[in-house]
Amino acid sequence: TNLLLIKDQNITMEDKLDLINVDGQDTFIFHGALSYEPKCCTNCGCMKEGNNIVKNGFGNPLKVALLKISECPTYLRLKKQRFKCRECNSKFCAETSFVQKHCSISKNLILYIMKNLSKTLSFKDIAELSNVSVSTVVRVMKSCKEAVEVKTHSNLPEHLCFDEIKSTKDSKNGMSFVFLDAKTHDFIDIVDGRTQHILKQYFMRYSRKVRKKVKT
Ligand SMILES: [Zn+2]
């Protein structure tokens, strides 16, 4: 778990590591199992009391793609505990933060793909570095669209309040520009930098019509 940076303590690793040859490529296969005492049934929501939710064996192992090790594709064959709820007579599977539901690549690998997406690399380069398909790289990129999208460019208030603030260490500019709606005091955005050039570039993202709405 230390080597693979698995933080979920419900995952236990088997004392076994396979090195197999897949189409001429050395490939590592780790083996692990995910199990815990569930707090409640994921179907009917009833809390676990006594024997109303019982363990019900393991499903087929999930093949989870991990970060490469020594340049070799690496996978974890993860057995997931199945549970049976006697209240609603349904079955459900153990879940982990290490691999999202319905996903076959680890969170760590997704973060690695995201990190590479911020660099000047082609989808194909990233796919090769991460041992996933190009379509997976594109899917990861689309999944973070929401988080990185700047949603403030559609409108500006009539009156702006702004100030300069000291930037955080990850900024190359010493000072940042912060602005808000003078009437509502609603925060609008922080701009990395406060020079004319940076601010002009920033505000030019708004349409001319929107910019002309600003009076003071
Ligand atoms: Zn249930």
Side-chain angles (χ1 to χ4, degrees):
T1 52
N2 283 343
L3 177 67
L4 303 180
L5 294 172
I6 297 176
K7 302 272 161 64
D8 188 342
Q9 298 192 344
N10 296 322
I11 295 177
T12 45
M13 302 300 290
E14 277 176 41
D15 191 10
K16 174 181 165 191
L17 170 61
D18 296 329
L19 177 58
I20 58 168
N21 195 294
V22 181
D23 302 325
Q25 170 69 61
D26 283 336
T27 303
F28 288 116
I29 312 278
F30 287 85
H31 301 262
L34 169 71
S35 184
Y36 51 82
E37 290 298 332
K39 285 197 175 70
C40 62
C41 166
T42 58
N43 289 306
C44 70
C46 73
M47 302 302 284
K48 179 174 163 57
E49 281 163 4
N51 280 328
N52 63 345
I53 301 171
V54 290
K55 288 183 177 170
N56 192 238
F58 286 90
N60 286 332
L62 187 72
K63 191 178 169 195
V64 184
L66 308 175
L67 284 161
K68 284 184 177 183
I69 292 181
S70 300
E71 293 280 305
C72 296
T74 302
Y75 296 91
L76 168 65
R77 282 179 76 83
L78 183 65
K79 285 190 287 187
K80 281 176 151 187
Q81 180 81 58
R82 282 193 307 202
F83 303 104
K84 189 177 177 184
C85 171
R86 286 174 173 161
E87 308 266 347
C88 69
N89 216 10
S90 67
K91 286 174 184 168
F92 59 95
C93 223
E95 296 300 336
T96 170
S97 59
F98 187 67
V99 201
Q100 280 169 322
K101 212 174 172 178
H102 310 301
C103 193
S104 60
I105 55 179
S106 74
K107 260 290 187 40
N108 296 348
L109 184 52
I110 292 177
L111 292 174
Y112 178 70
I113 295 168
M114 285 180 182
K115 197 170 130 190
N116 280 323
L117 279 165
S118 70
K119 297 178 187 161
T120 315
L121 291 169
S122 70
F123 289 144
K124 199 167 163 256
D125 289 335
I126 299 172
E128 269 174 30
L129 282 169
S130 358
N131 181 38
V132 295
S133 66
V134 168
S135 60
T136 298
V137 177
V138 174
R139 205 175 62 234
V140 170
M141 184 187 70
K142 284 184 176 166
S143 76
C144 29
K145 178 170 174 269
E146 193 75 343
V148 295
E149 205 171 33
V150 184
K151 297 186 186 85
T152 53
H153 297 138
S154 53
N155 212 359
L156 281 172
E158 275 188 13
H159 309 283
L160 290 180
C161 271
F162 47 86
D163 202 354
E164 53 185 10
I165 51 167
K166 198 173 182 307
S167 301
T168 47
K169 273 183 191 153
D170 54 345
S171 164
K172 49 188 179 298
N173 302 300
M175 299 296 279
S176 294
F177 175 90
V178 60
F179 71 107
L180 38 95
D181 184 327
K183 258 189 185 166
T184 63
H185 292 185
D186 282 337
F187 168 85
I188 304 171
D189 206 357
I190 294 178
V191 185
D192 186 1
R194 57 168 178 177
T195 60
Q196 270 219 36
H197 172 72
I198 291 171
L199 292 180
K200 203 166 176 182
Q201 207 176 34
Y202 174 84
F203 280 102
M204 287 306 271
R205 297 186 211 179
Y206 292 91
S207 69
R208 185 176 164 79
K209 200 179 149 203
V210 167
R211 279 184 279 127
K212 285 198 83 170
K213 267 176 64 186
V214 180
K215 289 179 182 156
T216 60

